[in-house]
Amino acid sequence: DKVTVISGTVTANGGTAAGTNDAYSYGVNADNVTITGGTLTATGGTAEAGGYSAESYGIDAFYNVSISSGEVTATGGNNAIYALENVIISPKEGELIGVKTGENADAAAQIDGSPFAEETTITDLVTNEKYFHSEAMYTVTVETDGHGTASASPTSAPAGTTINLTATPDSSYRFERWEVVSGDITIENNAFTMPAGNVTVKAIFEKEPGGEDTYYTLTFDTNGGSDIDSVRRISGTTIDLSDYTP
């Protein structure tokens, strides 16, 4: 008995369960539950029992719950997810998976280690939580041409998130433009919408009109080692000393 979600949207509601002794309401109930894509929303309903167990789970698995992509939201009166063995996060190549849990959606927070970049067992981190949400996330890499600094906020996010970019030029330079190195995005007003894939952008700077670089001369006292000629460079230049012999 296995439930697998690979694409599309699946909504599973447990409804009301009532019993003289035990009562259980599950959004999803199977030996193994696997999500490799798409969207799964699983909600445990109301359980009413005469004198014994009354349990409500969003997802109940006799063995494992495995999530490798997509978006999963589970809610239960007792546990959002109950797995007799493990809850496993195993991101696809090029993706991260963010996980947050809590008493409810408003109180949910990212669990330790989230977002996850490699396979991780998170059973102990989600046990007894009534709300669970996971989603595929992607990374933003920011490069520069060497004449300033640049950053993105946030640096990882699910598709649809607004990413804000900041560029700060070095002295005598000014910001010119953003260059899209990789990713299906359009940058407007220093921001873009995160696609379902990783993104790399590059900040391009230009000299200010009339701006001139300041050069500095560096001389070396080698204290008996091999001679090193003086060099004249602008601030921030890397100088190769690999030929020096002590």
Side-chain angles (χ1 to χ4, degrees), residues 40-195:
L40 170 64
T41 302
T43 305
T46 301
E48 300 174 352
Y52 295 96
S53 296
E55 307 288 340
S56 169
Y57 304 124
I59 298 174
D60 177 75
F62 192 76
Y63 296 111
N64 296 309
V65 175
S66 302
I67 302 171
S68 61
S69 191
E71 182 174 359
V72 179
T73 302
T75 307
N78 294 89
N79 286 348
I81 296 181
Y82 178 79
L84 195 58
E85 292 192 356
N86 286 307
V87 180
I88 303 167
I89 300 296
S90 52
K92 292 181 179 179
E93 184 176 356
E95 292 186 354
L96 305 173
I97 294 181
V99 178
K100 57 184 179 180
T101 62
E103 183 71 13
N104 51 52
D106 292 336
Q110 296 285 326
I111 67 174
D112 290 344
S114 178
F116 297 94
E118 57 187 29
E119 183 171 311
T120 306
T121 298
I122 62 169
T123 313
D124 293 342
L125 298 176
V126 302
T127 300
N128 298 324
E129 298 288 356
K130 296 181 180 180
Y131 176 85
F132 173 96
H133 182 81
S134 70
E135 57 190 340
M137 300 175 68
Y138 307 92
T139 60
V140 182
T141 301
V142 181
E143 302 174 345
T144 76
D145 64 2
H147 298 297
T149 60
S151 62
S153 180
T155 56
S156 61
T161 302
T162 297
I163 307 297
N164 294 300
L165 301 172
T166 301
T168 304
D170 288 340
S171 177
S172 77
Y173 282 84
R174 64 186 181 187
F175 176 71
E176 180 188 358
R177 60 185 169 84
W178 291 105
E179 178 181 296
V180 179
V181 178
S182 64
D184 184 15
I185 63 169
T186 298
I187 301 174
E188 295 182 354
N189 298 319
N190 296 313
F192 65 89
T193 300
M194 193 73 188

Side-chain angles (χ1 to χ4, degrees), residues 180-237:
V180 179
V181 178
S182 64
D184 184 15
I185 63 169
T186 298
I187 301 174
E188 295 182 354
N189 298 319
N190 296 313
F192 65 89
T193 300
M194 193 73 188
N198 297 325
V199 170
T200 299
V201 298
K202 185 175 184 178
I204 306 298
F205 302 93
E206 63 179 0
K207 289 284 293 183
E208 291 183 339
E212 295 182 0
D213 290 321
T214 301
Y215 283 80
Y216 301 89
T217 299
L218 178 63
T219 58
F220 302 89
D221 180 354
T222 61
N223 194 29
S226 59
D227 292 338
I228 302 177
D229 294 334
S230 297
V231 293
R232 187 168 181 269
R233 300 285 191 274
I234 62 174
S235 176
T237 301

